Amino acid sequence: MTTTRIPVLAARGLVKTFGRVVGLDGVDVDVYAGEVLAVIGDNGAGKSTLIKCLTGALVPDAGTITADGAEVAFRRPQDARDAGIETVYQTLAVAPALDVASNLYLGREERRPGILGSVFRMLDTPGMRSRAEKAVRDLGIDTIQNITQPVESLSGGQRQAVAVARAAAFGSRIVVLDEPTAALGVKESNQVLALIERLRENGLGVILVSHNMPHVWQVANRIHIQRLGRSAGVITPSSHTMAEGVAIMTGAAAA
Amino acid sequence: MLGLTTDEPGGAAAELERRRRAPAQRAQHLLHSHPALSPAIILLLTCVAFTLLNDRFAAPAALSLLIQQTAIVAALAIGQTLIILTAGIDLSVGAIAVGSSMLAAMLAAEQGVPAPIALVIGVAAGLAAGGLNGLLVTRVGLPPFIVTLGTLSVFTAVVLIYTGGQSVPGADLPDLLSWTGTTFPIGDFRLTYGVVIVALMYVVVGWALSRTAWGRHVYAVGDDSDAARLAGIRVNRVLFSVYAVAGLIYGLAAWVLIGRAGAASPNAIADANLESITAVVIGGTSLFGGRGGILGTLLGALIVQSFAVGLSLAGVDDQYRLLAVGVLVIAAVSVDQWIRRVRA
């Protein structure tokens, strides 16, 4: 945990417009290490736009983003990834026919040391498999028994676990999860929520975008409410009830 | 799903379902993890059957011929496999290979360009033609089918205009260009240097596909290009490289083609497009991308050619070869669909 309370990721005055449509209208957000910040809001409130700006999928028109106090400019997702920010997309972004280990290392494969790697470009498949196995074990994901099985043979919750494991294995600052429980049943949702808590225990900052209020109130430390492209306030599960949160989200009440 | 989740078996119904589905599941997983398995079995059965019909099929002479005849389609089908793995298709295969062979042959025979330089220019033309396909697919964003349908006509026309429809006879060709047709003995077998070149191409591309990050990205792009992009893979760069590498492969295949034919003709390998796609499909590579490999393609090409050699040795009309190949193609795609269905 940080003692100085410098946010691991912070944004000030983010603006993003799409033609005449205003996606973000000057939004501030702070995420600290070892906390789960939930982002809630109605459809069109700017949740996705905010997340995309924080993960490099969109470039904001105005505003600044800082990582551990230093200003950063994300022009593409790879930039955010290089800064230790990993995203679990709603579509999961896994290649179904590839196995679990290949998916964990997709886009950042590691090569064999020496001439096999440098000249013959040979992948370090055994190394990646064992490290993938360790990453999965460290997260306590016991539902994935075989790291060499193709992802398409997994259930929805297991696929989600693969995507979360990938983010956790490479994210050194922040893991962003976009609607991670939307497609899951009760049991699988609970497994993913347990994973989120484990990421927090490991000292990562977690941004959780969700429509599911019980899930948000269950795991979030703080809740950022988006409304009409602006921040309508930041609350905590103890300061406000779910109903009060929803009231702020819909504009029926002020924060 | 079964045997892979941690969910407890539900009860009698689940148990019955498990028992009923287990063999199919196992077969599906076997075929999934070894896509070359079904073409290997088919090739084995084909060879056994033709040997029973006429034992000359298994003689070194016939097998040597089989391998030599397979070489060109097998070479072209490597490039076709790469493109189909990315969920694309290449209809300009034959046109590029013929173009490369005619360019090298005309430069050497009529412009007096030294043979090695003519050969390099010919192969480079294949690379450039493949690169053009790649640019049109990635930059202009056209579907591969349309791009290569267009370049098929364009390349064919350019070659006919450039050559005036005339062949370059073998007597005019420098030794280097027809070197690929030179045979050498291995025991009772007679192979050509062209066969060795094709074998080397299989080794190199096979390595690249299975052992390098590039290979894994080719599969990922074909499997789900959106997922690949979000995972940080530069999808367009991968796609472009696949089309360019395919063009290079066609250029090298053109060299093998000159040696095999003993001359360079603008009307050679008219069926190359369909034959290369047939080899890929029978070889178990999915037309939907992301699934398959070049070992299967090699087996697929051998299956098609073994039908040609075996049926002619058995004294059967060549039309039956077409019939058998047609049935095989449909069967192969059915198996692919089945693999995709059972997993769900």
Side-chain angles (χ1 to χ4, degrees), chain A residues 62-184:
Chain A
T64 57
I65 299 174
T66 56
D68 283 327
E71 188 166 338
V72 290
F74 300 147
R75 306 209 62 82
R76 57 183 70 86
Q78 194 59 48
D79 296 342
R81 218 169 271 152
D82 293 342
I85 299 166
E86 286 291 321
T87 312
V88 179
Y89 297 96
Q90 199 169 357
T91 53
L92 299 185
V94 290
L98 295 182
D99 64 32
V100 174
S102 300
N103 265 292
L104 244 68
Y105 279 89
L106 193 59
R108 50 189 143 215
E109 288 81 0
E110 290 171 6
R111 285 198 226 127
R112 284 279 179 90
I115 194 168
L116 276 176
S118 59
V119 177
F120 295 99
R121 308 252 146 190
M122 189 179 180
L123 289 173
D124 183 14
T125 309
M128 287 192 285
R129 281 199 177 145
S130 69
R131 284 189 291 277
E133 190 129 39
K134 186 174 180 301
V136 168
R137 293 281 162 273
D138 286 352
L139 279 175
I141 304 171
D142 49 6
T143 57
I144 297 169
Q145 288 153 355
N146 184 356
I147 210 83
T148 61
Q149 72 191 71
V151 163
E152 65 196 355
S153 69
L154 302 177
S155 69
Q158 290 172 317
R159 289 183 199 203
Q160 191 80 54
V162 171
V164 175
R166 175 166 68 187
F170 294 99
S172 55
R173 285 189 170 123
I174 297 274
V175 172
V176 179
L177 300 109
D178 190 5
E179 298 282 1
T181 56
L184 302 183

Side-chain angles (χ1 to χ4, degrees), chain A residues 76 78 81 89 91 93-98 102 106-109 116 120-123 125 128 142-143 145 149-150 152-153 155 158 166 187 191, chain B residues 1 3-8 28-29 32 207 210-213 216-217 219-220 223-224 226-234 290-291 339 343-344:
Chain A
R76 57 183 70 86
Q78 194 59 48
R81 218 169 271 152
Y89 297 96
T91 53
V94 290
L98 295 182
S102 300
L106 193 59
R108 50 189 143 215
E109 288 81 0
L116 276 176
F120 295 99
R121 308 252 146 190
M122 189 179 180
L123 289 173
T125 309
M128 287 192 285
D142 49 6
T143 57
Q145 288 153 355
Q149 72 191 71
E152 65 196 355
S153 69
S155 69
Q158 290 172 317
R166 175 166 68 187
K187 185 177 165 190
Q191 287 170 350
Chain B
M1 221 180 120
L4 295 164
T5 62
T6 50
D7 291 330
E8 302 76 26
Q28 183 253 324
H29 279 293
H32 184 277
W207 174 276
S210 64
R211 295 278 182 270
T212 71
R216 208 160 275 183
H217 295 174
Y219 280 94
D223 205 7
D224 186 336
D226 290 333
R229 187 174 294 115
L230 289 174
I233 295 172
R234 299 185 182 194
R291 209 175 300 264
I339 289 174
R343 72 159 196 258

Side-chain angles (χ1 to χ4, degrees), chain B residues 275-328:
Chain B
E275 283 180 358
S276 66
I277 296 169
T278 302
V280 173
V281 170
I282 291 180
T285 294
S286 170
L287 285 171
F288 302 100
R291 209 175 300 264
I294 59 166
L295 177 59
T297 297
L298 177 61
L299 296 170
L302 284 167
I303 290 169
V304 174
Q305 203 55 47
S306 66
F307 270 87
V309 173
L311 288 173
S312 79
L313 280 175
V316 179
D317 193 321
D318 190 53
Q319 304 304 328
Y320 287 93
R321 175 179 66 91
L322 268 182
L323 194 146
V325 169
V327 171
L328 267 180

Side-chain angles (χ1 to χ4, degrees), chain A residues 23-24 39 42-51 226-229:
Chain A
L24 292 180
V39 176
D42 218 339
N43 290 335
K47 296 192 302 290
S48 293
T49 312
L50 175 62
I51 293 312
Q226 271 293 122
R227 178 170 155 71
L228 303 176

